[in-house]
Amino acid sequence: MKYHVFKSLKRKICTWLYAVTGFFCLSVENVTAAPAVQGYVMQVQMTPAVCAMDRSKTKQRKCLEGYSLTVTGLLPEVAQTDCSTNTSAMLPPLQAKVIARIMPEENVRAQLWHAVGGCVPGNASQYFRTIINFADRLKIPADLTGSENKQVQHTGLRAQFMRLNPGLPVNGVRFNCQNLRSTPVLTEVQVCYKVNGQFKQCSSHVVSNCPSLFAIQGAY
């Protein structure tokens, strides 16, 4: 009974703290229950290509406002397969505004947190702060944000990433493509990180399916 009273009191204190300061309480229970994270894989979506391929997304903010890139996930590398959580994905207003620059859809952010939050340390605010930090440091080749459609070499694009991001190993970035009118088009870039945010070689389960030559969809 005392434990349940403590949890009820803690919820009230955390609700008051968020209302006053905009910060969440760190759930000790969630931190201790989270498995050891071996690394992360950040998924960067080529938004113009995805919007052109999937008409159901044309009314989403990222398509309507002409985003050239969006982050769709920062996946923890852990031993277990079920990383779901029911904890809140709500962010302080200022942080929500910052993360919207790279992840504009609030419902997508909530779905991501509920899918992986059980396998990362801390709460949703800390998780999305990590995404912001990783994304801010990642330098993107100009070929991926230009307005023109173009053909690129797999090895050439990888070399651009390595030149712009010192410390990124040759196998630290993966490219995924989908066919658009029989042409392979880049739809996603995956970048692999150590827990401390340094680049690392991608694990064998992080695959690339792009051929040696593929297309970049111009940014609107």
Side-chain angles (χ1 to χ4, degrees), residues 56 63 92 104 111 127 132 137 155 177 199-200:
S56 67
C63 298
Q111 291 171 7
Y127 170 70
I132 293 169
R137 294 198 302 268
T155 54
C177 293
F199 298 116
K200 74 179 185 73

Side-chain angles (χ1 to χ4, degrees), residues 51-67:
C51 293
M53 292 178 178
D54 188 349
R55 294 301 177 183
S56 67
K57 291 183 169 62
T58 55
K59 293 186 178 180
Q60 291 185 350
R61 179 181 172 185
K62 63 184 179 183
C63 298
L64 292 173
E65 298 185 9
Y67 280 65

Side-chain angles (χ1 to χ4, degrees), residues 80-119:
Q80 71 185 57
T81 56
D82 183 9
C83 290
S84 61
T85 181
N86 292 322
T87 58
S88 174
M90 186 180 297
L91 301 176
L94 179 58
Q95 186 180 15
K97 188 175 296 185
V98 173
I99 193 69
R101 295 183 306 199
I102 55 173
M103 301 184 73
E105 314 294 338
E106 183 177 359
N107 63 319
V108 173
R109 298 197 301 264
Q111 291 171 7
L112 172 63
W113 170 250
H114 290 144
V116 306
C119 289

Side-chain angles (χ1 to χ4, degrees), residues 4-22:
H4 292 295
V5 171
F6 169 76
K7 287 187 71 177
S8 177
L9 178 60
K10 181 181 177 183
R11 281 195 296 269
K12 292 179 181 178
I13 293 173
C14 287
T15 300
W16 172 85
L17 179 64
Y18 175 72
V20 173
T21 67

